[in-house]
Amino acid sequence: MKKSLIALAAVAASGAAFAQSSVTVFGVVDAAVTVYDGEETVSGLGNSGNSSSRLGFRGVEDLGNGLKAQFWLEGAISNDDGSGVGAGAGQGFEFKRRSTVSLLSNYGELRLGRSTTAAYDAVSRYDSFGTVGVGASRVWSAGGYDIRKSNMVSYYSPDFSGFKFAANYAFGEQDQSTWKRGAYYGLSATYDNGPLSVGFGAERQNNANPVVGSNTNRLTAYGIGGSYNFGVVKLAAAYLNQESQPHPASVASADYDNFLLAVSAPVGAAGEVKASYNRYEVDGAAEGKADQFSLGYVHNLSKRTAVYGTYSYLKNKNGGNNFTLGGVGVTKPALDDGKIQAVQVGVRHAF
């Protein structure tokens, strides 16, 4: 009888522990008919026009005394052809978007694994097109900028009356040369209070395989952005500077200055109209300028499903070809005298 009671107590205890844990399957399936008009016209069915298509698993366990453990595994999917391969992935489904394990407490979060950098998170959120689709800002694609890093150790602070800060360090896992090959360092600070939002980020990324005479051996970047929601309209702006630095220093560097202005406004109870202007400038080893104008509309059919349409136009100045539009799943044509435009209409469903 005593042994039976002990066994029942053990089962009850394990059940209580299980009840304190949770695992969630989540994702987004986003498909869009896209037409690019450049040197030639190319059309097709792409993905991730409004939100990145993805599949993920996350779970949390309550360890007691305010401490929790969390895992997060998330990979990109190409639902337009069913390959399971997202932008930047390999030849099969991979958890390249995020693969982390964390400890969370009242003192913040300690995160280990592959994830977006804190500096990117702090500033990219001011892109009204969510950094995806043909309307996305190309600020994040210039100069070899890498929005995710592997082998990263991160700390995210708790919320101090709207203020948060974070720090990242990613191991290069190379021999430790003067340049700390492959290593990454990043810092961010954000403030969100009611309608006001401000973000700042700074970082440095070292090339894992530096080449003498190359101007892409080290990338330093800093950015700042902000937004204010007036209710009837939300205004946002961001600036990002990137400098690709050579080794040795006698080689010319490449310096990028990118500017973003964005606006969005609700339309009725279910719609949103948005627009943005981007200015891209690069000096040094490569020179060029470009302007991008984007206009879009999203209509929510439910909390999880939406239809959307986007138009975007980009023009490089002085016959340059340094920049082009975004979008995945459809091959973009060559620029027509530095110009390209695109129309995208799609459906997004989250689960």
Side-chain angles (χ1 to χ4, degrees):
M1 183 67 177
K2 185 176 181 180
K3 290 182 179 180
S4 298
L5 290 173
I6 293 173
L8 287 171
V11 171
S14 64
F18 182 78
Q20 293 174 340
S21 303
S22 66
V23 176
T24 301
V25 180
F26 66 95
V28 173
V29 181
D30 184 318
V33 174
T34 307
V35 180
Y36 289 101
D37 183 28
E39 190 173 83
E40 58 185 6
T41 300
V42 178
S43 61
L45 183 68
N47 65 81
S48 306
N50 175 257
S51 183
S52 297
S53 291
R54 71 196 80 166
L55 175 65
F57 308 86
R58 58 176 178 255
V60 62
E61 181 185 13
D62 190 338
L63 302 174
N65 298 318
L67 184 64
K68 295 180 181 180
Q70 180 191 71
F71 80 89
W72 192 306
L73 299 172
E74 181 181 329
I77 57 176
S78 293
N79 48 277
D80 52 319
D81 60 13
S83 65
V85 179
Q91 297 304 309
F93 184 76
E94 300 174 314
F95 294 111
K96 286 287 191 178
R97 285 182 57 84
R98 179 171 170 179
S99 53
T100 61
V101 61
S102 302
L103 290 176
L104 305 95
S105 73
N106 294 331
Y107 299 100
E109 176 186 357
L110 177 64
R111 184 185 300 176
L112 308 174
R114 176 177 174 83
S115 183
T116 50
T117 68
Y120 168 77
D121 291 338
V123 183
S124 64
R125 57 192 180 141
Y126 301 110
D127 182 357
S128 58
F129 288 89
T131 73
V132 296
V134 300
S137 172
R138 306 304 287 162
V139 163
W140 322 110
S141 64
Y145 193 92
D146 193 354
I147 68 173
R148 292 181 175 85
K149 297 301 292 184
S150 301
N151 310 309
M152 190 160 62
V153 178
S154 305
Y155 170 74
Y156 294 85
S157 79
D159 190 320
F160 299 103
S161 300
F163 175 77
K164 296 180 182 179
F165 65 90
N168 303 125
Y169 174 75
F171 294 91
E173 300 190 349
Q174 304 283 327
D175 62 305
Q176 296 300 298
S177 63
T178 303
W179 279 53
K180 299 285 185 183
R181 291 206 232 173
Y184 166 87
Y185 312 81
L187 294 169
S188 73
T190 59
Y191 179 75
D192 298 282
N193 190 353
L196 176 65
S197 174
V198 180
F200 171 80
E203 58 193 331
R204 188 179 81 183
Q205 305 182 61
N206 296 339
N207 193 329
N209 298 293
V211 177
V212 174
S214 170
N215 69 342
T216 59
N217 283 325
R218 184 167 67 184
L219 176 70
T220 59
Y222 67 90
I224 187 169
S227 66
Y228 195 90
N229 192 341
F230 293 92
V232 294
V233 65
K234 180 179 180 180
L235 302 179
Y239 166 75
L240 182 72
N241 173 269
Q242 303 172 54
E243 185 178 3
S244 297
Q245 298 173 321
H247 182 64
S250 58
V251 181
S253 63
D255 188 72
Y256 294 81
D257 289 296
N258 304 305
F259 306 87
L260 164 67
L261 296 175
V263 60
S264 59
V267 178
E272 180 188 36
V273 63
K274 50 191 178 180
S276 68
Y277 165 71
N278 287 273
R279 173 73 168 187
Y280 313 117
E281 299 180 359
V282 57
D283 296 307
E287 293 188 4
K289 297 179 181 179
D291 294 309
Q292 178 186 345
F293 302 89
S294 301
L295 177 66
Y297 176 73
V298 180
H299 188 82
N300 294 294
L301 302 175
S302 71
K303 290 183 178 180
R304 297 186 295 154
T305 304
V307 293
Y308 61 89
T310 305
Y311 169 78
S312 192
Y313 172 81
L314 184 146
K315 181 179 181 180
N316 287 273
K317 302 293 185 178
N318 304 320
N321 292 291
N322 291 297
F323 303 93
T324 189
L325 292 177
V328 293
V330 179
T331 301
K332 290 181 279 291
L335 300 174
D336 178 17
D337 192 26
K339 302 186 297 291
I340 186 171
Q341 60 184 334
V343 175
Q344 195 166 54
V345 179
V347 179
R348 181 262 299 154
H349 176 76
F351 61 90

